Amino acid sequence: MSLAISKRLEGKTILITGASSGIGRSTAFEFARTAPKNLKLILTARRVDKLHQIAADIQKEVGDGVQVLPVQLDVSKPDEVREFVGKLPEEFKDIDVLVNNAGLSRGVARAPEIAEEDMNIMFDTNVTGLINMTQAILPIMLRRNNGEGAGDIINLGSIAGREPYVGGSIYCATKAAVKSFTESLRKELISTRIRVIEIDPGQVETEFSIVRYYGDKNKADAVYAGVTPLTPDDIAEIIVFAAGRKENVVIADLLVFPNHQASATIMHRRPT
Ligand SMILES: NC(=O)c1ccc[n+]([C@@H]2O[C@H](COP(=O)([O-])OP(=O)(O)OC[C@H]3O[C@@H](n4cnc5c(N)ncnc54)[C@H](OP(=O)(O)O)[C@@H]3O)[C@@H](O)[C@H]2O)c1
């Protein structure tokens, strides 16, 4: 780990949504390993027991230089998001980096068979949840530097937001909405020092497919048959890289594929 990136991140308070699994979990470890001397991590998700375990594992690995605060938060519940900042301990309130990572896909149904419940869960989490989190944290970032602002908002988009595919109409629409919101926000904040960053992964093996197939592990495993997907650590490295650039450098928009993938649906599968 280069010294420059560690120094730039030292002393920061980082908030990660959806930190109980996959990319969010890996991102928590990667920030902690990069700036182990002095960092505050706020880890949020619905499964708070997992967050407590991750907090303990991080502190066991890097020591007391990293303070970790696990907080149960369902981003799809506007009331919970609204009350979130007010309930934080004073020493964790000055958030420098928001990683809007919480997100999910439910099902592969095509219209007119898409369940209303799945539609609502995906929009409430991936879109409204991300926007509500951003609106809750932005005032903290805007107050810095006599109103000039400072901080990073890092949104997890997807190849799905760039290229809609069969069976993913709602998930793709939610990630396209993330892209639109992110681009508007970057323009709205152009007179500030706040960086608005979007990372768009291709195929990453996490709990994502298990959730998409309602817990059916066999269907989830089939998604990765014959390919070498990205790992959540691969994306975590990129998120921390983006947050660790010099203040004047904005990784505005980054698409990341594993080597076998060339689009949302074009991948080379080797026989298994
Ligand atoms: N895996 C991929 O191939 C891929 C590709 C492109 C983009 N992405 C995006 O990357 C992000 C992370 O996904 P992942 O692949 O790491 O999947 P994952 O392993 O299933 O992790 C998703 C995380 O989101 C959290 N979450 C879900 N609903 C939530 C809610 N209502 N409130 C708070 N937290 C919630 C989950 O925690 P709880 O269940 O504990 O709440 C979990 O920590 C998502 O935005 C996803 O769309 C993934």
Side-chain angles (χ1 to χ4, degrees):
M1 185 54 56
S2 97
L3 200 59
I5 183 170
S6 305
K7 283 224 177 322
R8 286 185 204 128
L9 292 174
E10 254 171 35
K12 296 215 163 161
T13 301
I14 319 270
L15 165 59
I16 304 170
T17 68
S20 61
S21 163
I23 295 168
R25 178 185 180 281
S26 286
T27 301
F29 276 93
E30 186 66 19
F31 271 116
R33 289 171 184 147
T34 306
K37 285 192 199 149
N38 182 12
L39 195 77
K40 288 180 190 149
L41 284 177
I42 307 166
L43 306 185
T44 71
R46 293 166 301 178
R47 289 171 294 174
V48 73
D49 49 329
K50 289 207 174 244
L51 297 177
H52 281 286
Q53 187 58 54
I54 290 165
D57 290 346
I58 287 175
Q59 286 188 314
K60 197 168 154 201
E61 184 180 319
V62 303
D64 293 339
V66 179
Q67 295 177 58
V68 191
L69 180 71
V71 183
Q72 185 165 39
L73 173 67
D74 183 338
V75 297
S76 72
K77 304 262 164 60
D79 291 349
E80 285 189 27
V81 175
R82 212 172 295 121
E83 289 164 11
F84 172 76
V85 173
K87 287 184 174 169
L88 283 177
E90 270 318 306
E91 66 273 25
F92 280 92
K93 278 199 164 94
D94 195 19
I95 293 160
D96 296 285
V97 180
L98 165 63
V99 184
N100 270 321
N101 166 75
L104 78 179
S105 179
R106 302 252 305 173
V108 289
R110 305 175 186 191
E113 304 296 337
I114 303 167
E116 192 178 337
E117 189 196 10
D118 286 342
M119 228 184 321
N120 290 337
I121 291 173
M122 284 188 266
F123 272 104
D124 290 350
T125 310
N126 301 0
V127 184
T128 315
L130 180 145
I131 295 168
N132 285 341
M133 281 306 296
T134 304
Q135 298 218 90
I137 306 305
L138 203 45
I140 299 170
M141 297 183 175
L142 285 167
R143 278 197 290 272
R144 294 200 179 97
N145 296 332
N146 296 321
E148 206 192 349
D152 295 337
I153 296 171
I154 304 180
N155 292 339
L156 267 292
S158 170
I159 177 63
R162 300 176 181 229
E163 193 196 333
Y165 53 84
V166 170
S169 58
I170 303 303
Y171 179 66
C172 294
T174 68
K175 290 298 183 179
V178 168
K179 179 159 287 307
S180 273
F181 175 70
T182 305
E183 289 181 8
S184 293
L185 187 66
R186 190 179 306 114
K187 290 169 185 170
E188 287 169 5
L189 294 174
I190 199 60
S191 65
T192 76
R193 304 298 297 171
I194 297 169
R195 300 188 293 193
V196 181
I197 294 165
E198 180 168 324
I199 310 293
D200 290 349
Q203 194 182 47
V204 191
E205 187 166 7
T206 61
E207 291 179 13
F208 181 84
S209 292
I210 298 173
V211 172
R212 170 170 257 177
Y213 288 106
Y214 310 106
D216 187 328
K217 181 90 170 56
N218 291 334
K219 283 189 180 160
D221 287 346
V223 173
Y224 309 111
V227 297
T228 309
L230 296 165
T231 69
D233 289 356
D234 295 330
I235 301 301
E237 282 183 8
I238 289 163
I239 292 169
V240 174
F241 175 85
R245 294 307 85 210
K246 276 181 354 200
E247 203 236 5
N248 198 40
V249 179
V250 184
I251 308 283
D253 197 349
L254 196 67
L255 176 64
V256 192
F257 282 141
N259 210 345
H260 68 270
Q261 185 173 15
S263 80
T265 53
I266 297 175
M267 14 209 135
H268 177 68
R269 290 184 192 273
R270 292 183 182 83
T272 48

